[in-house]
Amino acid sequence: MIPMRFPSKIDRYIFRDAAWSFLGCWAGFLVLFTLVDLVAKLDLFTRSGRILWNRLPVYYLAQWLYLSRDLVPVALVMGAMFSLARFEKNWEITALKACGVSVHRAVAPLLALGVLVIVLLVGIQWAAVPAV
C-alpha cells in the first residue's frame, strides 16, 4: 500500500466539494429564515407605510450570527451528506476504494471541515455574539 500524504489532491477535492455543499446549505437556510421572518415581521419594519431599509441589515446580521449557532451544525451534516451522495452517484467512492483508499481515509477531509467550521463558529460566538 502506498502511503498518502495529507492533504493530497483527493483530500483537497473532497474538502472543496463538501465546503461548497455546506455553504450552499447554510446560505439556503439563512435566505429561507430571512424571507419567512421578513414576511412575518413586515408590519414591524414599516412606519407610516415606508420600510425602514436602514434598519434591516443591522437586524438581520445580528439574527444571522445568533441563528448560525443552531444552523451551522445542521448545514454541516447536510453538506457532508450531499457531498457523499454526489460522490456515490458519480461512482467516485467506488473508484477510491478500487485504488486502495479506505472509506475512513476518504472521509477524513469531511472531519477536518467539521472541526474547522466548529472552531470558527465557537470563535464567532465567543467574540461577536456577546457584542450584538
Side-chain angles (χ1 to χ4, degrees), residues 7 18 21 55 62 68:
S21 296
R55 305 275 173 120
S68 291

Side-chain angles (χ1 to χ4, degrees), residues 81-100:
M81 198 171 54
F82 288 149
S83 288
L84 289 175
R86 189 176 313 119
F87 293 149
E88 187 62 35
K89 183 183 121 193
N90 295 332
W91 296 87
E92 294 178 21
I93 292 182
T94 305
L96 283 173
K97 288 168 64 176
C99 290

Side-chain angles (χ1 to χ4, degrees), residues 43-58:
D43 57 338
L44 296 176
F45 292 125
T46 58
R47 184 177 298 156
S48 67
R50 289 183 0 167
I51 297 178
L52 301 172
W53 292 107
N54 57 348
R55 305 275 173 120
L56 289 177
V58 175

Side-chain angles (χ1 to χ4, degrees), residues 30-106:
L30 289 178
V31 166
L32 185 64
F33 164 77
T34 303
L35 290 175
V36 169
D37 192 60
L38 185 62
V39 169
K41 296 180 180 174
L42 193 57
D43 57 338
L44 296 176
F45 292 125
T46 58
R47 184 177 298 156
S48 67
R50 289 183 0 167
I51 297 178
L52 301 172
W53 292 107
N54 57 348
R55 305 275 173 120
L56 289 177
V58 175
Y59 173 75
Y60 281 113
L61 179 63
Q63 288 293 320
W64 288 345
L65 288 173
Y66 182 72
L67 191 66
S68 291
R69 181 190 68 194
D70 299 327
L71 289 182
V72 165
V74 175
L76 192 60
V77 170
M78 287 184 67
M81 198 171 54
F82 288 149
S83 288
L84 289 175
R86 189 176 313 119
F87 293 149
E88 187 62 35
K89 183 183 121 193
N90 295 332
W91 296 87
E92 294 178 21
I93 292 182
T94 305
L96 283 173
K97 288 168 64 176
C99 290
V101 178
S102 70
V103 176
H104 293 70
R105 178 68 178 88

